[in-house]
């Protein structure tokens, strides 16, 4: 049976390297990112089977990704929550409320959205892995 994986932030760095590794291991691979041209370039470089334009901070984007994944993958074996970042690297007292909100949305809310949306299917099948980077 074919194994499937979704990797967020799959256009560069850890995400791109992870996509290459899963593809080499024989997984049907779907990568996400915010920029279509970067996704298309990463797809060529990694061999990913599918791409999906997504801002992980947007809950509705996760709902749409789930629908797309159900359509093209059928089932999801592994979800790699790789998208994230520092947003603004500076001392906490210099962070604005807006920057803090952005950091939380990118690095925490996105992971919780993903898990909430994909975990139910994995639990019902008794199989699946969520990796948070």
């Amino acid at each position: 049976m074919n194994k499937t994986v979704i990797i967020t932030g799959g256009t560069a760095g850890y995400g791109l390297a992870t996509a290459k590794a899963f593809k080499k291991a024989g997984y049907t691979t779907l990568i996400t990112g915010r920029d279509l041209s970067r996704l298309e370039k990463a797809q060529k470089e990694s061999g990913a089977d599918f791409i999906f334009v997504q801002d992980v901070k947007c809950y509705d984007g996760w709902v749409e990704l789930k629908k797309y994944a159900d359509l093209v993958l059928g089932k999801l074996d592994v979800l790699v929550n790789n998208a994230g970042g520092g947003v603004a690297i500076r001392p906490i007292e210099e962070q604005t409320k807006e920057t803090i909100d952005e950091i939380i949305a990118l690095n925490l809310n996105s992971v919780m959205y993903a898990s909430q949306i994909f975990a139910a299917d994995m639990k019902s099948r008794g199989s699946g892995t969520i990796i948070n980077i």
Side-chain angles (χ1 to χ4, degrees):
M1 179 176 261
N2 191 31
K3 296 286 189 174
T4 60
V5 62
I6 293 174
I7 303 155
T8 66
T11 61
Y14 292 134
L16 182 59
T18 302
K20 289 177 182 178
F22 272 100
K23 189 63 187 167
K24 185 175 180 182
Y27 281 69
T28 299
T29 306
L30 186 157
I31 58 174
T32 77
R34 292 176 293 178
D35 183 271
L36 179 59
S37 63
R38 289 184 68 191
L39 273 168
E40 290 170 340
K41 181 180 177 212
Q43 182 179 30
K44 288 177 187 165
E45 188 175 338
S46 68
D49 300 285
F50 303 100
I51 59 175
F52 188 83
V53 177
Q54 176 199 27
D55 180 348
V56 296
K57 300 180 308 274
C58 175
Y59 184 85
D60 291 340
W62 282 105
V63 172
E64 292 305 311
L65 175 58
K66 173 76 167 74
K67 290 176 188 174
Y68 181 69
D70 287 348
L71 180 69
V72 300
L73 300 177
K75 65 167 177 56
L76 180 62
D77 294 299
V78 181
L79 172 62
V80 180
N81 286 311
N82 170 71
V87 180
I89 309 297
R90 59 179 161 246
I92 189 65
E93 68 274 11
E94 295 176 17
Q95 301 285 354
T96 65
K97 178 200 177 299
E98 292 75 22
T99 302
I100 291 169
D101 290 346
E102 180 81 5
I103 291 167
I104 298 297
L106 178 60
N107 295 300
L108 178 60
N109 293 0
S110 65
V111 171
M112 294 180 76
Y113 295 158
S115 299
Q116 187 263 337
I117 287 171
F118 283 98
D121 282 350
M122 291 178 173
K123 282 182 142 184
S124 71
R125 285 194 335 266
S127 172
T129 303
I130 298 174
I131 300 168
N132 299 318
I133 298 177

